[in-house]
Amino acid sequence: MDSTLHNSNAWDRKVEEGARYTQAVSTEIIEESKKGNWSISVTTEKSVPREWFPSSLDGVKVLCLASGGGQQGPVLAAAGADVTVMDISKKQLEQDEFVAKRDGLELKTVQGDMTDLNAFDDEIFDIVVNPVSNVFVQNVASVWKEASRVLKNNGVLISGSTNPLLFIFDDREEQKGILDVKHAVPSSTIDTLSEEEIEEHLKANQTIEYAHTLEELIQGQLDAGFLLSGFYEDDFGGSRILDRYIKTFFATRAIKMSPTV
């Protein structure tokens, strides 16, 4: 089964359904961003600290990786950055193109897999912005390695991830208020399903997600040549029972270190 193709189609369907992370920002937000009053998120609720970015984005080359949906990319472009948005979903990219056309912005869109950035040369971006999305790929190490390759030396990777503890619970039971430990980490959302359940899952165009270990998510960045320079946690904003006990998302800021001679 090609999970990449399946997730591409699933995200196209999410756009059609108007899911939260497919809703483009308003003209009002873009106008404020042009004035320097901007913020973006790479997790669920919190904004990325402004000090994680340069004081001015004018001319800064940013890759918004697996970041379609008309949210991060257009805001950064309005703030002055030279933005490229890459996403697996054509319809997600169309959201970015819609905002750009509506509000007179310049940005580029590229459809592709976040684990394969062969569309880009080495060391061409100053910043890679990667909202929570690595759950949709099995091999997260390739995401970190490719991000490192396309970043200039001392370039910055800003990435959102899911705390793997979220995945150990039965999702349906948790949404009923019951914390039932059911899944191992690492794993995928279809590992414990029967063939019939997998068929239903795929027919319903539900995404296939992969639970990664903290070692894969954090040490993996270090192994790819990054130095962590910032960290914060986030949650569902109180809408899920787990918010009472633990933060279920986190963001990291990592700097690509120059190779030692």
Side-chain angles (χ1 to χ4, degrees), residues 6 18 59 68 77 84 90 95-96 114 119 121 136 140 146 153 163 170-171 179 192-193 197 207 211 233 245 258:
H6 173 79
T84 300
K90 182 176 183 293
Q95 296 294 82
D96 294 272
M114 74 183 91
D121 293 334
F136 302 111
V140 70
E146 282 291 85
N153 287 333
N163 186 321
D170 184 299
D171 188 64
L179 295 180
T192 59
L193 301 182
E197 289 171 326
T207 53
E233 294 179 295
Y245 304 104
S258 300

Side-chain angles (χ1 to χ4, degrees), residues 98-159:
F98 164 75
V99 177
K101 182 177 181 180
R102 182 193 68 194
D103 298 326
L105 303 174
E106 292 289 337
L107 57 75
K108 296 177 284 293
T109 59
V110 177
Q111 185 174 7
D113 185 344
M114 74 183 91
T115 66
D116 181 1
L117 304 185
N118 284 331
F120 308 114
D121 293 334
D122 296 352
E123 300 182 2
I124 60 170
F125 294 105
D126 300 295
I127 300 174
V128 172
V129 172
N130 176 222
V132 174
S133 60
N134 55 52
V135 294
F136 302 111
V137 296
Q138 186 169 14
N139 182 13
V140 70
S142 59
V143 178
W144 308 138
K145 290 177 182 177
E146 282 291 85
S148 178
R149 181 182 65 79
V150 302
L151 275 170
K152 300 174 184 176
N153 287 333
N154 300 314
V156 172
L157 169 64
I158 297 172
S159 182

Side-chain angles (χ1 to χ4, degrees), residues 114-234:
M114 74 183 91
T115 66
D116 181 1
L117 304 185
N118 284 331
F120 308 114
D121 293 334
D122 296 352
E123 300 182 2
I124 60 170
F125 294 105
D126 300 295
I127 300 174
V128 172
V129 172
N130 176 222
V132 174
S133 60
N134 55 52
V135 294
F136 302 111
V137 296
Q138 186 169 14
N139 182 13
V140 70
S142 59
V143 178
W144 308 138
K145 290 177 182 177
E146 282 291 85
S148 178
R149 181 182 65 79
V150 302
L151 275 170
K152 300 174 184 176
N153 287 333
N154 300 314
V156 172
L157 169 64
I158 297 172
S159 182
S161 295
T162 304
N163 186 321
L165 281 174
L166 176 65
F167 290 100
I168 70 173
F169 298 103
D170 184 299
D171 188 64
R172 293 179 182 178
E173 291 299 306
E174 190 269 328
Q175 294 192 44
K176 297 175 187 176
I178 301 170
L179 295 180
D180 178 23
V181 175
K182 184 176 181 179
H183 308 294
V185 175
S187 62
S188 83
T189 49
I190 61 174
D191 282 353
T192 59
L193 301 182
S194 65
E195 289 186 10
E196 182 179 347
E197 289 171 326
I198 291 174
E199 186 175 349
E200 291 176 358
H201 186 95
L202 299 180
K203 282 184 177 179
N205 266 317
Q206 297 184 52
T207 53
I208 298 171
E209 300 181 19
Y210 297 89
H212 303 295
T213 65
L214 285 173
E215 186 171 354
E216 291 175 304
L217 295 171
I218 297 176
Q219 181 63 40
Q221 294 186 54
L222 304 180
D223 291 341
F226 289 103
L227 174 68
L228 292 183
S229 61
F231 183 94
Y232 66 86
E233 294 179 295
D234 203 356

Side-chain angles (χ1 to χ4, degrees), residues 41-49 52 159-165 214 218 230-237 243 245-252:
S41 173
V42 295
T43 49
T44 45
E45 300 292 328
K46 290 184 179 180
S47 296
V48 178
W52 284 19
S159 182
S161 295
T162 304
N163 186 321
L165 281 174
L214 285 173
I218 297 176
F231 183 94
Y232 66 86
E233 294 179 295
D234 203 356
D235 58 25
F236 287 102
D243 291 345
Y245 304 104
I246 194 168
K247 301 293 185 182
T248 43
F249 300 93
F250 63 88
T252 52

Side-chain angles (χ1 to χ4, degrees), residues 25 28-42 47-58 60 62 71-81 127 129 158:
V25 296
E28 290 73 21
I29 288 176
I30 294 300
E31 289 304 313
E32 284 299 307
S33 298
K34 290 178 179 178
K35 298 174 186 176
N37 304 318
W38 60 270
S39 67
I40 64 166
S41 173
V42 295
S47 296
V48 178
R50 279 293 293 271
E51 59 266 26
W52 284 19
F53 293 93
S55 57
S56 172
L57 289 182
D58 289 346
V60 175
V62 178
Q71 298 177 2
Q72 294 87 6
V75 167
L76 295 172
I127 300 174
V129 172
I158 297 172

